[in-house]
Amino acid sequence: LWCASHTAYIGTSFACAASAVLCGHHLFSVWNGDRRLRDKFGAQADLLRERTSIVPFAAILSGKQQLPPNFWREEMLRVPYVTILVGSVLAYLAHDQLRGGPAPAPAP
């Protein structure tokens, strides 16, 4: 996703080539990591592969894994995440002031 968005934003042939190489590198890393786990742990690595997926959220959507009951509260409502969210929203709302432009017109 990162490669696709940056390639679309930059739009040069160099960005396309760099994205292709980066995707290839990650595919090789997945294959090599699976191979090393299989060599080291044997059948236990195959059990792990059956419960997981290299595609984001595919294991959850297919039912292979389940999120803990309090996932959103315990994982997503942490101080660093909330700080980034609040800071991003405030920076977005204050964008004109940060650029030195006029204050936004009040809502009718």
Side-chain angles (χ1 to χ4, degrees):
L1 293 175
W2 185 91
C3 283
S5 63
H6 281 75
T7 300
Y9 178 73
I10 297 171
T12 63
S13 59
F14 179 78
C16 289
S19 293
V21 170
L22 186 59
C23 289
H25 165 74
H26 284 103
L27 290 173
F28 171 77
S29 298
V30 167
W31 171 81
N32 191 44
D34 284 352
R35 182 189 60 80
R36 291 180 64 196
L37 282 174
R38 196 176 323 106
D39 290 348
K40 187 173 183 177
F41 297 107
Q44 290 179 337
D46 293 331
L47 293 174
L48 178 66
R49 283 183 61 194
E50 290 174 7
R51 293 190 336 236
T52 60
S53 173
I54 62 169
V55 178
F57 303 106
I60 294 169
L61 294 174
S62 68
K64 293 179 181 179
Q65 292 183 355
Q66 292 182 347
L67 294 175
N70 298 325
F71 173 76
W72 295 108
R73 185 170 20 125
E74 293 177 4
E75 294 295 326
M76 300 308 288
L77 290 179
R78 293 184 176 192
V79 174
Y81 298 150
V82 172
T83 303
I84 294 297
L85 177 66
V86 169
S88 298
V89 169
L90 290 175
Y92 174 78
L93 294 174
H95 190 72
D96 285 336
Q97 288 80 13
L98 292 172
R99 293 182 57 216

